[in-house]
Amino acid sequence: MKLPVLIDKTVSNPIEQQASGGCSSGSCGSSQQAVNQLPADIQARVADHPCFSEQAHHFFARMHVAVAPACNIQCNYCNRKYDCSNESRPGVVSEVLSPDQAIQKVKAVAASIPQMTVLGIAGPGDPLANPERTFETFRRLSRETPDIKLCVSTNGLNLPDCVEELSQHNIEHVTITINCLDPEIGARIYPWIFWNHKRVRGVEAARILIEQQQKGLEMLVARGILVKVNSVMIPGINDQHLLEVSRVVKEKGAFLHNVMPIIAEPEHGTYFGLTGQREPTHQELQSLQDACAGDMNMMRHCRQCRADAVGLLGEDRGEEFTLEKIAAMDIDYDAAMEKRQQIQAQLLEQLHRQQAGGEVSLPDATLCSSEAQSRPVLMAVASKGGGLVNQHFGHATEFLIYEASPQGVRFVGHRSVDKPYCENSSSCGDGDSVLQTILSKLKDCEMLLCSKVGYEPWSALEDAGIQPDGSHALEPIEDAIQAVYQEMADKDLLSSESETQQQSA
Amino acid sequence: MAYEIVDSCVSCTACAMVCPNDAISEQDMQFVIDSTLCTECAGDFDDPQCASICPVEGAIVDELGYELNPLGSLTGIIPLSAA
Ligand code: SF4
Ligand code: SF4
Ligand code: SF4
């Protein structure tokens, strides 16, 4: 029996996916439909994009520059001392660059990291509330670095006025953050907007913002520009409502709806942080994401990363590109572009090979026969990139979470920890609390796949009901997970309900 | 007749973008209003534009030091002393 890997392959190769026939459940069938409904050119664009495709994220990278510090609205989950919370985590400050500096930085990064293929404008503020700075940057990049795709995200208030100009640049896609369609709900999320030379508050403000967002969405779709919609899930305020948002924005032509959890910590000084707004649990987030975006299963790897982070999955090479350092660099972009092209072609080939090879034959039909009873299992993976199980448990600052089930392997998200278990070679396990944090982040996972794990954390993980496994080191993640799921099936660990219960205890 | 920007400003540039008289600029990492150019928007708009977009409570004050956006008026976060 062949199991489909329900990751980006579904996007890149829907025909093969259908032909595999390994998937019998209703939800799985509808996901194929949803994917097939995407026009072929969008499927192709999405499959290689580091922000949309988890697999592509292992090969290609995006970068952000902050050139647009002003904003024209207030969100209750944002403290304007920091970056725009719609795009990165709260409490982060990116250095604001002039358009000139931004272009120099983009060239410097592109020349030294050929994997960098996508540039976004993010950081503090709303790019379209600063149209001059944003569009100057875009204009020059379209001309000077034509091999870099551009993207932009916005709260939507100014979007309708900017659509014309956006359609003239090398814009890959536009992200609109839409948290609601109902102004009453909006009034609990947005205290004010700046509109027609006045500060407008309350339900009226939310009504205008929602209207502009929807209008902007429709205008972009009409021009054939890809639109992604982000929503921030705020339990008790818009969590139920987001199902409706999802339906409407997809109907209007957004190709992807991505739900992010609200981050509301008092130390960030946001309204929600200080008034004790609850964050969603992993489970709540996951089930809403499944309901809204589950059919596409993209973006789950989104780390709400630092807006000015530079590099591949989980790495930040920002230090190498400070203003001082880039000012000293002399870049021959034409030469760089040639080199980039070669390396990108190689990477693309590698990625496509991996995407095509996503189907794994299982040794026997155990899964098929036990399909009805086999329960899904969550597994955590430590990976440095390249789509492989290749990181030491002690070095991981984030874990990729996958769900294995008779329907296949599905990427569900990532969980990050502030500190790795080993800070440096001499201080492994110094802080027991570090280990405790990791354990609590992974508590719903039953397996942990990594390249190696030390003796002490091994027992702690086991005691917490998370079985560490280093035997699949350097294997592709999906293959390793399928193999482990099969092993669990062979050991008859998948049928008993009690196993599930024990996990949540 | 002129307004003033104080230390709590986070340098978001929003006020400078909307000022009808180009009275606001960044000087030594700090946003300042040129008191010879600022008209408090009289004749241009009903509301002073800088104070209508500024996200930081207390960042813009009038000649008497009165805050155009007092504590709690923008974020809804009520200061402890008043709670
Ligand atoms: S749009 Fe972004 S910068 Fe503006 S208030 Fe909302 S989260 Fe903050
Ligand atoms: S009050 Fe009006 S004129 Fe004066 S600085 Fe503010 S925006 Fe400019
Ligand atoms: S709008 Fe307020 S915070 Fe922003 S630069 Fe002007 S005074 Fe400073």
Side-chain angles (χ1 to χ4, degrees):
Chain A
M1 170 198 177
K2 282 183 158 194
L3 279 193
V5 172
L6 302 180
I7 310 210
D8 311 295
K9 210 183 131 294
T10 50
V11 178
S12 65
N13 206 344
I15 298 160
E16 191 182 339
Q17 164 81 18
Q18 252 184 350
S20 77
C23 175
S24 55
S25 87
S27 71
C28 196
S30 65
S31 84
Q32 286 175 17
Q33 258 168 23
V35 169
N36 290 338
Q37 276 160 12
L38 282 181
D41 64 318
I42 297 186
Q43 290 178 21
R45 275 151 93 180
V46 160
D48 301 337
H49 193 296
C51 296
F52 301 144
S53 152
E54 204 271 329
Q55 253 171 332
H57 201 315
H58 295 290
F59 292 94
F60 294 107
R62 57 89 197 89
M63 75 177 282
H64 288 128
V65 287
V67 298
C71 189
N72 47 10
I73 70 172
Q74 177 69 53
C75 303
N76 274 334
Y77 44 76
C78 179
N79 178 343
R80 297 298 319 286
K81 270 195 245 165
Y82 308 122
D83 285 3
C84 173
S85 306
N86 285 336
E87 280 298 302
S88 56
R89 19 187 69 246
V92 168
V93 192
S94 301
E95 187 176 24
V96 175
L97 307 179
S98 69
D100 263 345
Q101 291 168 322
I103 282 144
Q104 178 75 7
K105 180 167 178 180
V106 170
K107 287 183 178 170
V109 172
S112 27
I113 308 181
Q115 295 97 323
M116 197 277 284
T117 53
V118 181
L119 171 104
I121 292 194
D126 183 78
L128 301 186
N130 303 250
E132 278 118 58
R133 295 170 68 106
T134 298
F135 286 128
E136 188 190 334
T137 311
F138 278 166
R139 263 193 299 274
R140 289 194 46 197
L141 288 175
S142 301
R143 215 172 39 229
E144 296 172 37
T145 62
D147 63 334
I148 297 177
K149 301 170 197 158
L150 308 175
C151 57
V152 64
S153 42
T154 177
N155 61 39
L157 185 61
N158 245 357
L159 181 56
D161 288 344
C162 295
V163 169
E164 178 59 39
E165 168 99 48
L166 281 170
S167 67
Q168 292 172 18
H169 302 295
N170 195 5
I171 304 279
E172 161 81 2
H173 73 277
V174 175
T175 304
I176 317 173
T177 299
I178 299 182
N179 294 325
C180 54
L181 300 168
D182 175 352
E184 299 286 340
I185 294 176
R188 298 172 66 190
I189 304 173
Y190 308 105
W192 58 263
I193 66 172
F194 180 75
W195 181 245
N196 276 344
H197 304 289
K198 287 193 182 305
R199 199 185 307 264
V200 182
R201 298 168 191 263
V203 178
E204 173 67 359
R207 191 189 57 75
I208 297 167
L209 176 63
I210 292 166
E211 220 173 80
Q212 291 289 99
Q213 290 171 337
Q214 296 298 318
K215 191 168 152 200
L217 166 61
E218 289 160 17
M219 290 170 73
L220 288 169
V221 170
R223 300 235 169 190
I225 301 176
L226 283 189
V227 185
K228 177 187 119 205
V229 170
N230 267 357
S231 296
V232 179
M233 174 185 188
I234 313 166
I237 294 186
N238 70 350
D239 44 350
Q240 295 305 312
H241 185 55
L242 285 182
L243 291 170
E244 171 74 1
V245 171
S246 192
R247 192 184 59 74
V248 170
V249 300
K250 283 185 197 157
E251 220 169 73
K252 290 194 177 170
F255 84 102
L256 175 59
H257 182 217
N258 172 42
V259 177
M260 312 182 297
I262 183 175
I263 300 176
E265 287 168 26
E267 58 267 35
H268 297 143
T270 64
Y271 173 83
F272 281 140
L274 292 170
T275 52
Q277 170 63 47
R278 179 172 80 76
E279 296 176 0
T281 63
H282 288 311
Q283 285 79 2
E284 286 172 328
L285 176 67
Q286 209 169 298
S287 60
L288 184 64
Q289 283 178 333
D290 284 345
C292 292
D295 49 354
M296 299 298 302
N297 197 35
M298 289 184 287
M299 294 295 298
R300 292 300 177 82
H301 63 291
C302 175
R303 280 150 187 75
Q304 293 172 283
C305 43
R306 273 190 71 106
D308 61 354
V310 172
L312 284 166
L313 184 93
E315 71 173 10
D316 185 359
R317 294 174 57 182
E319 282 298 299
E320 296 168 40
F321 304 101
T322 57
L323 279 184
E324 237 170 88
K325 288 184 187 157
I326 57 175
M329 295 181 195
D330 185 19
I331 295 144
D332 175 353
Y333 199 76
D334 287 335
M337 211 149 48
E338 232 168 86
K339 191 176 112 205
R340 285 166 53 77
Q341 223 170 21
Q342 283 168 11
I343 296 183
Q344 286 174 14
Q346 282 166 17
L347 287 168
L348 208 58
E349 201 183 307
Q350 230 177 313
L351 169 64
H352 287 161
R353 223 179 304 130
Q354 207 179 79
Q355 285 173 342
E359 272 178 49
V360 180
S361 304
L362 286 172
D364 60 46
T366 322
L367 288 185
C368 248
S369 56
S370 61
E371 198 161 304
Q373 310 95 301
S374 284
R375 62 198 171 79
V377 172
L378 286 182
M379 305 193 195
V381 177
S383 172
K384 287 190 289 201
L388 304 176
V389 179
N390 59 1
Q391 195 170 37
H392 194 300
F393 169 76
H395 300 159
T397 51
E398 70 171 9
F399 297 90
L400 308 175
I401 311 296
Y402 288 79
E403 183 194 77
S405 72
Q407 278 81 44
V409 176
R410 193 166 74 104
F411 179 73
V412 292
H414 78 101
R415 312 236 173 109
S416 45
V417 290
D418 294 338
K419 276 195 205 145
Y421 177 66
C422 301
E423 282 271 52
N424 52 54
S425 54
S426 60
S427 75
C428 279
D430 267 4
D432 243 2
S433 65
V434 175
L435 188 55
Q436 285 314 318
T437 316
I438 298 176
L439 292 178
S440 76
K441 290 258 176 166
L442 302 182
K443 69 170 186 291
D444 52 347
C445 299
E446 291 177 46
M447 298 292 306
L448 170 82
L449 278 61
C450 54
S451 63
K452 271 202 182 114
V453 57
Y455 176 73
E456 259 175 62
W458 182 291
S459 356
L461 282 159
E462 264 187 352
D463 291 348
I466 307 166
Q467 181 59 49
D469 185 333
S471 62
H472 295 275
L474 298 180
E475 289 176 20
I477 294 171
E478 289 85 18
D479 298 0
I481 288 181
Q482 295 223 354
V484 171
Y485 195 64
Q486 182 64 50
E487 285 160 26
M488 291 177 81
D490 292 345
K491 289 185 199 149
D492 209 17
L493 293 173
L494 298 178
S495 48
S496 75
E497 277 301 313
S498 59
E499 191 74 13
T500 331
Q501 299 314 318
Q502 182 215 324
Q503 287 307 314
S504 52
Chain B
M1 270 223 329
Y3 291 146
E4 204 183 308
I5 295 173
V6 301
D7 278 358
S8 51
C9 161
V10 296
S11 300
C12 76
T13 75
C15 55
M17 276 182 2
V18 296
C19 173
N21 297 317
D22 275 333
I24 307 177
S25 59
E26 192 172 10
Q27 313 277 337
D28 299 328
M29 314 284 288
Q30 166 73 46
F31 274 76
V32 290
I33 297 178
D34 183 335
S35 60
T36 63
L37 293 175
C38 173
T39 57
E40 298 188 3
C41 287
D44 287 305
F45 299 105
D46 293 344
D47 303 329
Q49 295 299 289
C50 55
S52 299
I53 199 170
C54 178
V56 178
E57 293 160 354
I60 302 180
V61 299
D62 69 10
E63 278 165 335
L64 301 173
Y66 172 80
E67 294 175 352
L68 284 114
N69 297 302
L71 217 54
S73 68
L74 300 183
T75 58
I77 300 167
I78 310 297
L80 271 182
S81 53

